[in-house]
Structures are given as C-alpha cells and as structure tokens.
Amino acid sequence: MKNWVRRFARIVAFGGNDARVGALIGVTAVALSVAAHETGDSRKFVTHSLSVSGDAKKSKTFSVEDVKTLPSRTLTDVAVISKRGMTMIKSLKGVLLKELLDRADVIAKTNGKTKKTFIVATAADGYTAIFSWNELFNSPIGEGVLVAYEKEGAPVPDTEGRFLLVSAKDYMTGSRHVRWLKSVDVRRIDD
Ligand SMILES: Nc1nc2c(c(=O)[nH]1)N[C@H]1C(S)=C(S)[C@@H](COP(=O)(O)O)O[C@H]1N2
Ligand SMILES: [Mo]
C-alpha cells in the first residue's frame, strides 16, 4: 500500500506538465480520499458491546457473543424507507428488543409504571430513536423491532454494525433504523 502511494506521488511529480495526466490524477486522488474518509468514519462508530440500562442500579452490557446466546429471530426482505427512497435488506438476524429488555430485567412493572415507560436507543454517533413500552410489548410493532448482529449472513459491516436496530413494521423505516447501536435506556415520563 505504502509503495503504491509512493509510486503515485512520483507520477504526480513527473506528470505535472501534462494536463490530461494531471486531471486524471486529480480525479483519482479525490476518489481515493473519499473512499478512505468513508471507511475511516464508519470504523470509528462501530460498536462491539451494547449497554442496556433502566431502573435504579439495573444495567447490563452485552457483547455480540452474549446477544447470540439469546433466542434469535430472522427478518427477511426488510425495507429501509426514507424520503430519499427505498433500499432492501434480504435478511437480518438478531434478537427482538423486547426479548433483550426482558433478559436484562430493567423494566419496573409495578403500580402502572409500564404505561409511562419509554425506551431510548442511542447510536455511537449520537443518533437516537424512541419506543414506548406499549408499542414494544402491547402492539404488533414490537415483533419488528430487532437488534440485529447479522445482515445477509455476515456480521453487520462497519457501515452500520455491529449492532443495527430496525423497526421493520414502521411506515418510514429509515427514522428508526439505528446504525451502530450503542445503548438502550429505559426511562419514565415522571416520578
Ligand atoms: N447511527 C445513525 N443511524 C442512522 C442515521 C444516522 O445519522 N446515524 N440516519 C438515519 C436516517 S435519517 C435514515 S433515512 C436511515 C437510512 O439512511 P441511509 O439511506 O443513509 O442508509 O438511517 C438512519 N439511521
Ligand atoms: Mo432519514
């Protein structure tokens, strides 16, 4: 790789007088730097563990391996829909968010607390999405809210892994498609 860059620099130095060579080099250099920038950016957001927190002292951190021990669910033909258009994901394997919350045991259920409870999903870049307790546990939406660790048969790639949260039953699935999911926090609107 380094040799390659050095050779490239030599071509730049000697090709300086030729406008066509110069233009070609310029375009290639921009393309290379954009590619490098994209991989660099993604890599810095990749998450390898997921923190689930809620009531009082209750909190649990899951590695990808930990999450893989929970009952898995596979969703097929998941659409990512936004104002910009639609892309299709052939398959996503993971654990339902409601299953993960049950396993972490972070939700208080006494004295009608659940109806005031909401769940905040936060990504490594600060992006967030929220779900109400009723939405997850008392509506069909919950069946589509998946914390995925596998996309189309491979670990979720750097561009959105290793934990990717989707809400497959939403109309506009883009807004609750949380790449680089880092934490899930249970909160209540009062008390
Ligand atoms: N972590 C993270 N996830 C995110 C975003 C983001 O900025 N950060 N953008 C969201 C938005 S606005 C959309 S529409 C979808 C799809 O984005 P894409 O078309 O770039 O894949 O990803 C969502 N997930
Ligand atoms: Mo979006």
Side-chain angles (χ1 to χ4, degrees):
M1 185 62 194
K2 282 216 177 100
N3 264 344
W4 206 87
V5 171
R6 222 171 286 138
R7 201 178 310 155
F8 196 75
R10 218 175 295 140
I11 294 167
V12 173
F14 291 108
N17 290 334
D18 187 325
R20 278 169 308 169
V21 173
L24 184 67
I25 286 164
V27 168
T28 313
V30 168
L32 283 172
S33 90
V34 167
H37 182 75
E38 278 187 0
T39 27
D41 259 357
S42 290
R43 221 171 284 152
K44 93 172 171 232
F45 291 130
V46 173
T47 49
H48 299 276
S49 66
L50 176 60
S51 132
V52 181
S53 62
D55 273 312
K57 293 157 282 181
K58 284 183 182 169
S59 125
K60 209 167 168 178
T61 300
F62 294 86
S63 65
V64 176
E65 291 311 309
D66 295 336
V67 175
K68 281 183 178 172
T69 66
L70 305 178
S72 72
R73 192 65 81 86
T74 298
L75 302 180
T76 54
D77 300 318
V78 178
V80 186
I81 308 164
S82 73
K83 279 175 250 165
R84 287 194 292 160
M86 182 176 92
T87 57
M88 290 298 292
I89 302 172
K90 284 200 188 81
S91 69
L92 285 173
K93 184 179 177 184
V95 60
L96 289 181
L97 180 57
K98 59 178 177 173
E99 179 75 42
L100 185 69
L101 289 166
D102 275 343
R103 298 290 169 136
D105 190 26
V106 288
I107 301 181
K109 298 188 178 94
T110 51
N111 308 325
K113 283 179 173 168
T114 53
K115 64 190 76 166
K116 298 176 181 175
T117 298
F118 63 100
I119 291 95
V120 184
T122 304
D125 64 340
Y127 191 79
T128 57
I130 65 170
F131 298 89
S132 70
W133 181 90
N134 267 298
E135 206 181 1
L136 288 181
F137 292 89
N138 190 27
S139 94
I141 287 282
E143 298 302 315
V145 183
L146 187 78
V147 175
Y149 46 79
E150 261 181 50
K151 180 183 179 178
E152 296 168 348
V156 182
D158 289 0
T159 47
E160 51 190 359
R162 296 293 174 267
F163 294 107
L164 164 65
L165 180 120
V166 298
S167 182
K169 290 177 183 269
D170 287 7
Y171 293 136
M172 301 292 276
T173 46
S175 63
R176 296 201 287 190
H177 175 102
V178 182
R179 306 193 285 257
W180 312 302
L181 179 69
K182 190 179 87 175
S183 62
V184 171
D185 190 29
V186 177
R187 299 190 208 162
R188 263 193 314 271
I189 54 169
D190 54 20
D191 70 29

